[in-house]
Amino acid sequence: MNVAFREMRKADVGRVHEIECACFRTPWSKLSLMGELRNDIAVYLLAECNGIVAGYGGMWVLYDEAHVTNIAVMPDFRRNGIARALMLQLMERAIARGATSMTLEVRESNLPAQTLYTQLGFVQNGFRPRYYTDTGEGAKLLWNTDIAKTVASHNKMC
């Protein structure tokens, strides 16, 4: 599958919100997504397949740390490596902004995402009980402390 990546623009907020609604129980609002476009520490990338926005990922980069805020792929486009490619693209952009490590929270029941993150060098370094207000589910706090190493090792494989 041919996937291209680009930064989110104002005109993309409606489609990104559709993805949010399709993928999450408590999606971010259009207003929240629009606010991220004005956030100097935010980076939001879209994954396009044949001109269709199939997924997106977002992060905040502050000093030497990147915090993944969102990663979502429409159900019809899953299992094609898009989430992995988005994560690697986010890592590359985080490195370009001076980050050396990356963190994120993941639902304790989201085993497919946990598998992906483990393959990308993330390890659990904490737990947030009742983090998700929609279900009361906890979140595993994951860290990758050497994103440059992860990017380099995945570039060798491609």
Side-chain angles (χ1 to χ4, degrees), residues 1-22:
M1 180 172 288
N2 188 18
V3 182
F5 300 94
R6 65 175 176 81
E7 292 200 12
M8 182 173 76
R9 300 183 291 257
K10 185 177 179 179
D12 299 314
V13 168
R15 175 61 178 166
V16 170
H17 187 255
E18 286 177 31
I19 296 169
E20 275 281 309
C21 291

Side-chain angles (χ1 to χ4, degrees), residues 65-78:
E65 294 178 5
H67 182 111
V68 176
T69 56
N70 318 62
I71 188 98
V73 176
M74 287 296 276
D76 290 349
F77 289 91
R78 291 182 184 161

